[in-house]
Amino acid sequence: MDRPAAASISASLPRPRLFEAREAPLATLDRLPRSLWLGGLTHAAGELVPRLEALEAWRMALLRGALPPPTPGWPAAMGAGRLACGMDVQPAGEPHSALDRELRAVFATLELPAYCAGRDELADTVLQGLLFHLDLVVDYRDRGASVREAEAMAVAAFADDWRERCGELDELIAAFGDLGDLMKNTRWDALRGLLRSSEWREVVRIRALIERLPELVRIIRALGRSAPSEDEAVLSQALQPLPSPAQRARTVARRLRVPDMPGETRGVHRSGRVARMLPAEAMLLGHPQLRLVWHARHAERTLLTYEDDDRLQEVRRARASALRPDLRPAPGRRLEAGPMLICVDTSGSMQGGAEAVAKAVVLEAVRCAHAEGRACHVFAFGGPDEVVEMALGVDVEGVQRLARFLGQSFGGGTDICAPLERALARLEEAEWQRADLLIASDGEFGATPVLADRVDAARRARGLRVQGILIGDRETIGLLELADDIHWVRDWRRYGHAGDGAASRGEGLEVGGSPVHSRSLTATYFPGALRNAENRARTLSPEAAAAAVRAGQRRGDLP
């Protein structure tokens, strides 16, 4: 290779920074989260670089769900050499592995790797707690404890702390199936306060109740119209809007930072720009020896210079993926697993076992929505103007709202119109157009004919499906007019606070069943009261009835 070519290759290679070799041992910090920086850098025991490397190895093992490997740098070196306070505790060169064995035994006993698998925030929280407790070894030594006693006290404190936390994690996993965003360390204290509240005890009780109502899981899983199910749909030639992938153009505006462009001075950095160097650098040029330092810094582009930049506004057009509704024949499989709108009756007639079943519906809807990434909106309704809307998610705020709702007692009247109007308004929004409606109630309500017609119109126009969970003894006209299908929780009495399995009057006494033999009492004994198509065809309007009376017509004379 000729000399000019070699020179050009050498010039293209990145030049080493002045302090790059000194900073290289701390490269582990780039791979550790910032939440572990302070504890890892200021920990009382061990050498800095081996400690950071061991901390990274422990974190990676926990994220894999495995026990951390034995690491010589930390925490096995807690008893070797000197602590940060300068106290001689054990001659250097004699490895102290008892601490490492005890910690690994604690991690295995509490099954911390299984909890931390795939959960970055939780793994970081565990390691922060470990650093904190091991830092207390120095304090225990100051109180007169020996090295082994101090280390045993630190390990015992860490084990006690996380034994309690693991019990709380078990409750969260049992309630929601997955921890979601609950394990962010910044909200741990708020979460622990919630888990000690009386409202959370009610969440645990309702979760146990869901295990005895497996049919609720199936019903809630079938809500929505976003994915085909395993069940074949009823054959239909009707056209319905189904989403299909499409591209749409949109305008994107962004501000670009242009480095080294005259504009705003942001600070001082190192570069090779002579025009923007600080006066302190220019003074080196006047010194017979220090001018060589200036030339070296200029060659390495490490002169202290002012950092300038400017912002440019850029507007461009881009194409983005979107879902376009196309009118196509109904698919062969039933659609499910979409957004959910839940109307829950919280009136006084729901007190007792019916209240517990209604709360179980809400909790299972939150669990299902969290596990499958679906949207869930709850309307808790009582009397007129008594509607509470809740967007429930598995984060600290969402769990707090859920616990407050499940911890409250029901009372008041019943007005289905207000929640139905709000649910129909939600269906107009793009996010909720493929949602289904679930009504959990004892059926002691009645919707106005105008509102019932609006629900029917939503069925025809949007494919809305309305599912009913009857927590009572019989179907009512109000629920029959609104729901496409009704699931009857016949033994709802046994789920009250008075005691599970308490005997009830009537049929099903041995299992806490309903005192009536059939849920369809209205259809059986009062068929004319139902506003179905046949009855509506035989019913005269007030104007037609008045005209018939004036004309002297009788029942047999009417067509």
Side-chain angles (χ1 to χ4, degrees):
M1 183 182 297
D2 56 358
R3 186 170 299 177
S8 62
I9 293 176
S10 177
S12 64
L13 293 177
R15 297 181 181 274
R17 300 285 185 180
L18 187 60
F19 299 103
E20 184 174 1
R22 293 180 176 273
E23 295 176 351
L26 299 178
T28 308
L29 287 175
D30 296 333
R31 300 186 293 272
L32 288 175
R34 282 187 173 270
S35 58
L36 295 177
W37 281 17
L38 181 60
L41 290 171
T42 62
H43 191 59
E47 297 294 334
L48 175 60
V49 175
R51 181 171 66 240
L52 293 178
E53 293 175 351
L55 197 61
E56 180 189 13
W58 276 60
R59 184 174 185 270
M60 298 305 296
L62 290 176
L63 291 178
R64 294 194 306 269
L67 277 176
T71 50
W74 178 89
M78 282 291 296
R82 293 174 176 266
L83 292 173
C85 62
M87 184 186 306
D88 285 320
V89 294
Q90 184 175 330
E94 296 183 13
H96 191 83
S97 58
L99 174 63
D100 182 77
R101 290 196 303 269
E102 291 176 1
L103 284 175
R104 288 163 54 81
V106 169
F107 272 67
T109 302
L110 299 180
E111 299 181 351
L112 288 178
Y115 288 107
C116 297
R119 299 186 176 109
D120 293 17
E121 295 86 358
L122 183 56
D124 297 342
T125 304
V126 171
L127 292 178
Q128 283 179 282
L130 183 59
L131 288 168
F132 170 78
H133 285 287
L134 293 183
D135 258 335
L136 296 179
V137 171
V138 179
D139 296 335
Y140 299 144
R141 290 281 289 138
D142 289 340
R143 299 172 191 173
S146 65
V147 176
R148 287 298 304 127
E149 290 173 347
E151 291 177 349
M153 293 167 65
V155 173
F158 174 80
D160 292 341
D161 182 16
W162 277 96
R163 187 174 293 107
E164 181 182 1
R165 295 195 185 199
C166 288
E168 295 166 350
L169 294 177
D170 290 337
E171 290 186 4
L172 288 171
I173 294 174
F176 301 110
D178 185 22
L179 298 177
D181 296 331
L182 289 173
M183 286 300 101
K184 293 190 175 179
N185 190 42
T186 54
R187 305 306 307 275
W188 181 265
D189 291 338
L191 184 61
R192 298 189 78 178
L194 171 64
L195 295 179
R196 291 183 173 91
S197 64
S198 59
E199 289 84 1
W200 181 254
R201 296 301 100 198
E202 182 68 7
V203 175
V204 174
R205 189 184 76 88
I206 296 301
R207 176 65 189 97
L209 188 152
I210 293 176
E211 300 294 337
R212 299 155 60 188
L213 293 170
E215 192 67 15
L216 290 182
V217 181
R218 184 194 64 80
I219 295 172
I220 293 174
R221 176 68 178 82
L223 294 176
R225 290 159 284 127
S226 294
S229 69
E230 297 297 328
D231 301 328
E232 294 290 338
V234 178
L235 295 179
S236 173
Q237 300 300 320
L239 298 179
Q240 66 177 9
L242 296 176
S244 60
Q247 296 287 326
R248 64 181 180 89
R250 62 188 183 96
T251 301
V252 179
R254 62 174 181 173
R255 292 176 63 85
L256 298 177
R257 176 176 175 265
V258 184
D260 298 336
M261 183 175 180
E264 179 183 358
T265 300
R266 302 180 59 85
V268 176
H269 70 151
R270 295 187 180 275
S271 71
R273 299 179 63 198
V274 177
R276 301 296 293 159
M277 69 179 177
L278 270 62
E281 299 284 1
M283 291 180 62
L284 299 178
L285 290 172
H287 195 278
Q289 280 80 32
L290 294 181
R291 64 185 182 86
L292 299 178
V293 176
W294 184 93
H295 285 289
R297 291 182 179 178
H298 182 247
E300 295 176 349
R301 302 179 63 84
T302 58
L303 291 172
L304 288 175
T305 61
Y306 293 108
E307 182 182 7
D308 297 332
D309 64 11
D310 201 359
R311 296 289 195 275
L312 294 181
Q313 183 80 15
E314 180 187 49
V315 179
R316 61 187 181 90
R317 296 186 64 82
R319 302 191 67 82
S321 299
L323 293 178
R324 180 180 60 192
D326 290 338
L327 289 177
R328 290 182 288 171
R333 294 189 180 274
R334 187 179 186 274
L335 293 177
E336 64 178 12
M340 297 178 284
L341 297 172
I342 313 293
C343 292
V344 180
D345 187 354
T346 62
S347 62
S349 61
M350 294 284 290
Q351 291 180 353
E355 174 182 325
V357 176
K359 291 177 177 179
V361 170
V362 175
L363 179 57
E364 182 57 33
V366 173
R367 281 170 47 87
C368 187
H370 171 63
E372 301 176 0
R374 300 158 62 183
C376 176
H377 201 84
V378 176
F379 303 89
F381 67 93
D385 301 325
E386 293 179 356
V387 181
V388 177
E389 296 190 38
M390 297 177 290
L392 300 177
V394 182
D395 52 21
V396 175
E397 290 78 9
V399 173
Q400 287 175 337
R401 288 193 296 267
L402 175 64
R404 283 196 299 269
F405 170 74
L406 297 183
Q408 293 174 351
S409 297
F410 291 180
T414 308
D415 179 23
I416 191 64
C417 297
L420 280 182
E421 290 174 352
R422 298 194 187 189
L424 293 174
R426 286 272 175 180
L427 291 173
E428 301 295 329
E429 303 175 10
E431 179 184 0
W432 299 95
Q433 287 183 357
R434 308 195 68 78
D436 279 344
L437 178 62
L438 175 67
I439 301 175
S441 172
D442 57 1
E444 300 297 334
F445 59 75
T448 62
V450 174
L451 191 57
D453 291 340
R454 288 182 58 191
V455 173
D456 289 336
R459 286 192 182 95
R460 294 189 299 269
R462 302 187 179 278
L464 171 68
R465 297 191 299 241
V466 182
Q467 302 294 317
I469 296 182
L470 175 62
I471 316 171
D473 293 329
R474 61 180 179 84
E475 293 174 343
T476 62
I477 296 176
L479 194 58
L480 285 169
E481 288 181 342
L482 296 176
D484 299 317
D485 300 297
I486 297 177
H487 170 69
W488 185 23
V489 183
R490 181 170 181 171
D491 54 347
W492 57 272
R493 285 178 174 81
R494 65 186 304 181
Y495 303 120
H497 285 283
D500 293 346
S504 301
R505 295 166 49 194
E507 183 180 345
L509 179 65
E510 68 282 357
V511 293
S514 173
V516 299
H517 65 282
S518 171
R519 67 177 182 182
S520 303
L521 294 183
T522 302
T524 303
Y525 296 106
F526 306 98
L530 302 178
R531 284 197 293 240
N532 52 31
E534 180 182 358
N535 287 341
R536 289 186 179 186
R538 294 187 302 179
T539 302
L540 294 178
S541 65
E543 294 79 8
V549 171
R550 288 193 295 269
Q553 294 179 328
R554 297 182 179 274
R555 181 183 299 273
D557 300 332
L558 297 177

